[in-house]
Amino acid sequence: MAVNVPGLLAIAFFYLMVLGTGIWAFFKSKRKQRESAATGMDMALLGNRSINCVVGIFTMTATCVGGAFIVGTTEIVYLPSIGLTEAVPLILSLSFTFIFGALVMTKPLREGNFVTIVDPFYIKYGKGISSGLSLVSVLVEMLLFPATLMGLGGIMSLVLDFNFSVSVWISAAVVITYTVMGGLYSVAYTDVIQLTLTLVGLCICVPFVLMNPATMDISQTLTNNTFHAPWIGQPDIKRIGIIVDDFLFMGLGTAAFQSFQQRILSASSSTTAKTSCYVASVFVLIFGIPPILLGAAAASTDWNQTTYGSPSPFERGEAALALPIIVNHLTPPFISIVCVACVAAAVMSSGDSILLSAASVFTTNIYKNILRPKASDREGQWVIRVSVVVMGVVGASFTYLKNSIVVFWFLCVELAYIIIFPELICVLFFNIANGYGAVMGLPMGLLLRLLTGDPVLGLEPVLHFPGSTLEDGVYVQYAPVKTISMLTTFVAILLFSYLASVLFNKGVLPEKWDVFKVKAQHSPVPLSPVTEKQDKENETFLSERHNSK
């Protein structure tokens, strides 16, 4: 098969259009910066907190609707062991993410005038703990970037016969370029074009796939075993624990991503942020419909009647490539090009958010707060640019693993759910929380999760919760182990925080051992400083946030 030259030209045109929009947004941000006298870092990281409602809705939706979402949802529906039964709760959980963000997270984060989700940890716990959580946040974002790129690499290599690695690196280069130039403004305004093209492209592709002669009526294959196992999945009452676990970990774990909270913090007002969240909660449901239909079509196709032939993608171990295989073999060439473009758009819409978010945490919470507290605004801008480039390159390098997109996607969210989410809730809403609890809670929840095993990572369970069974040589935990691990972290933070507070305040332990100065903590965030030096740093920190508001 020769390289699809018309397809490559179409994709090149799309890339140039997105790049042009990013450059236009860069000049717009410079003009806004001159008019408002905002600092360069404020414009790059939060758009000077001036993103309007319309653009905010698009860029908020883009934090969840990306290449991993579209390609991963198709794969989930196609897999017999998962199917529609678990795909729908996952999509609903992402909708729940936005509602939770509007109702719970918007007020404390915006009132604190924070730039990143790690800022409250820096104010309350000091440098040590905040630096550790900063690294976790950066790691989570970086692992999500290859998940988005792999979806694009797979579809371009199959449909356009273009090299997987080359397509990944070209796409990464385009995303890095306009993100480096314009920061949040470029990211937000390109999201408008990218999400529009994504939805239109998917809506065009779906009818061609469903009307292909090789595809049976998906309503007939929903519960019937025809060419493939029923795409409804395994609706068994004993799996209710897994389904609830997946809903909570996806919904609340995504809420702990810097890329999501950055959209809340960049909105022009709290009302705008909440409105964007509520509308995005509906949009994500709409964007979830086409991938479900495409996954159902993959499970309803007689592949022997297509150019793909038998056996099916699942039997060949290519379920992760379900979407590109469908597009390549069940749609006309010009329609397949449209679908490639829509996946490319989705990849960019989430990829740029991921890179900017990781760079935000590194620059603000590691470089500026710890390594170079006196760094100038210009120096900070260059650190952001270099961080975007480095993290983009490192993230794109992970695509060589070529694992299932779902594996990367779920791994990132699970880390955020078990580690970042309970820590963030405690630091924002529980005055009793202190550094001792934060330090002890993190390893306890993570250790419990590792002991319960993970077949994807090849970890055999050491702890077997009630209902755990051996199926096809693999132990399946039917208990909600992710949520139990998250709650373990949460309870450990509060328990050890309380114990440390009692021991030091009652004089059971000498004050000289109190490295986190819990005796000084009597008020909500921001709390009393760790040291006199930290007190001055915190005053400067909050003053800078106030001036940039």
Side-chain angles (χ1 to χ4, degrees):
M1 180 179 174
V3 174
N4 189 330
V5 176
L8 288 179
L9 291 176
I11 297 301
F13 173 77
F14 164 71
Y15 278 13
L16 290 174
M17 180 175 65
V18 171
L19 188 59
T21 304
I23 294 173
W24 170 81
F26 163 71
F27 287 109
K28 180 180 177 67
S29 69
K30 288 296 183 184
R31 185 172 66 253
K32 289 284 186 180
Q33 182 180 349
R34 289 193 297 270
E35 294 172 356
S36 62
T39 65
M41 284 189 64
D42 285 334
M43 291 301 300
L45 300 182
L46 295 178
N48 197 32
R49 303 182 194 269
S50 61
I51 300 299
N52 62 49
C53 190
V54 175
V55 176
I57 290 169
F58 279 93
T59 193
M60 184 73 76
T61 306
T63 59
C64 287
V65 178
F69 175 83
I70 293 173
V71 181
T73 302
T74 304
E75 178 187 350
I76 288 171
V77 175
Y78 178 55
L79 287 171
S81 60
I82 307 178
L84 182 69
T85 305
E86 296 183 33
V88 170
L90 286 176
I91 295 173
L92 290 174
S93 70
L94 293 176
S95 178
F96 170 70
T97 296
F98 295 115
I99 297 173
F100 180 84
L103 295 177
V104 179
M105 307 301 292
T106 299
K107 182 179 179 181
L109 288 175
R110 289 189 64 87
E111 286 183 350
N113 212 20
F114 302 127
V115 172
T116 74
I117 59 173
V118 184
D119 286 349
F121 298 105
Y122 176 76
I123 294 174
K124 190 169 184 178
Y125 301 152
K127 295 179 179 180
I129 296 174
S130 67
S131 61
L133 290 171
S134 296
L135 293 175
V136 174
S137 180
V138 170
L139 175 63
V140 166
E141 300 284 355
M142 282 182 58
L143 286 177
L144 193 57
F145 189 55
T148 64
L149 290 176
M150 283 192 294
L152 178 59
I155 196 169
M156 288 186 72
S157 62
L158 282 176
V159 178
L160 304 182
D161 197 30
F162 197 55
N163 183 270
F164 176 93
S165 298
V166 174
S167 63
V168 163
W169 283 104
I170 290 176
S171 303
V174 174
V175 171
I176 290 171
T177 299
Y178 71 73
T179 304
V180 164
M181 291 186 64
L184 188 70
Y185 255 81
S186 291
V187 170
Y189 279 92
T190 52
D191 283 342
V192 177
I193 293 178
Q194 291 157 352
L195 279 189
T196 302
L197 180 58
T198 298
L199 184 59
V200 172
L202 287 174
C203 290
I204 291 174
C205 291
V206 167
F208 284 91
V209 172
L210 295 179
M211 292 188 294
N212 189 286
T215 303
M216 287 187 62
D217 184 351
I218 61 173
S219 64
Q220 298 297 319
T221 57
L222 175 64
T223 57
N224 296 316
N225 196 333
T226 51
F227 308 114
H228 186 79
W231 58 274
I232 193 173
Q234 299 177 357
D236 194 329
I237 190 65
K238 68 180 182 180
R239 295 185 64 84
I240 191 67
I242 295 177
I243 294 174
V244 171
D245 199 23
D246 288 345
F247 178 88
L248 292 174
F249 107 85
M250 183 61 71
L252 299 179
T254 305
F257 274 56
Q258 164 65 17
S259 53
F260 170 63
Q261 300 298 346
Q262 193 167 29
R263 300 307 181 274
I264 291 177
L265 293 168
S266 64
S268 56
S269 67
S270 294
T271 301
T272 299
K274 291 181 179 180
T275 302
S276 300
C277 284
Y278 289 134
V279 178
S281 70
V282 178
F283 273 22
V284 75
L285 298 178
I286 297 173
F287 276 92
I289 296 173
I292 287 178
L293 294 176
L294 292 173
S300 308
T301 298
D302 181 1
W303 292 102
N304 202 37
Q305 295 185 32
T306 69
T307 51
Y308 184 79
S310 294
S312 69
F314 175 73
E315 293 169 321
R316 297 188 194 186
E318 296 180 347
L321 301 174
L323 179 60
I325 291 173
I326 292 169
V327 170
N328 194 31
H329 297 280
L330 299 180
T331 64
F334 66 95
I335 296 297
S336 65
I337 294 172
V338 172
C339 194
V340 172
C342 83
V343 173
V347 166
M348 291 185 175
S349 69
S350 55
D352 51 18
S353 303
I354 293 166
L355 292 182
L356 184 62
S357 300
S360 300
V361 173
F362 176 80
T363 304
T364 303
N365 301 109
I366 296 179
Y367 189 84
K368 206 165 190 308
N369 286 351
I370 299 173
L371 300 179
R372 287 270 296 168
K374 296 182 180 180
S376 65
D377 180 70
R378 184 174 180 81
E379 182 180 345
Q381 292 181 66
W382 277 106
V383 173
I384 294 171
R385 293 166 185 155
V386 173
S387 300
V388 169
V389 174
V390 172
M391 292 174 187
V393 171
V394 173
S397 300
F398 281 117
T399 59
Y400 284 109
L401 297 175
K402 295 186 179 181
N403 280 21
S404 166
I405 292 170
V406 175
V407 172
F408 272 104
W409 185 17
F410 280 24
L411 178 61
C412 297
V413 180
E414 192 167 342
L415 282 173
Y417 182 51
I418 295 173
I419 298 175
I420 302 176
F421 175 74
E423 295 276 10
L424 185 60
I425 293 298
C426 287
V427 77
L428 289 176
F429 299 104
F430 291 87
N431 295 336
I432 191 67
N434 55 48
Y436 300 102
V439 170
M440 294 302 298
L442 189 151
M444 293 192 71
L446 187 60
L447 177 61
L448 178 62
R449 181 65 188 96
L450 293 175
L451 291 176
T452 57
D454 192 324
V456 174
L457 299 178
L459 296 176
E460 291 290 334
V462 177
L463 295 178
H464 296 267
F465 284 96
S468 173
T469 58
L470 184 64
E471 299 179 4
D472 299 325
V474 177
Y475 277 101
V476 179
Q477 299 268 21
Y478 286 103
V481 292
K482 303 181 189 72
T483 299
I484 292 172
S485 300
M486 182 276 291
L487 291 175
T488 299
T489 302
F490 180 76
V491 172
I493 293 170
L494 298 182
L495 177 61
F496 283 102
S497 294
Y498 176 76
L499 289 175
S501 180
V502 169
L503 291 174
F504 285 113
N505 283 302
K506 297 293 184 181
V508 178
L509 294 178
E511 188 173 350
K512 64 181 180 180
W513 291 2
D514 185 11
V515 295
F516 291 116
K517 305 299 178 185
V518 296
K519 291 189 70 172
Q521 296 186 9
H522 299 293
S523 58
V525 177
L527 300 183
S528 299
V530 175
T531 62
E532 291 184 5
K533 180 181 179 182
Q534 181 69 46
D535 185 28
K536 295 179 181 179
E537 291 177 354
N538 287 348
E539 289 178 1
T540 303
F541 181 85
L542 291 172
S543 176
E544 290 175 353
R545 297 294 179 269
H546 178 74
N547 293 335
S548 65
K549 193 171 183 178

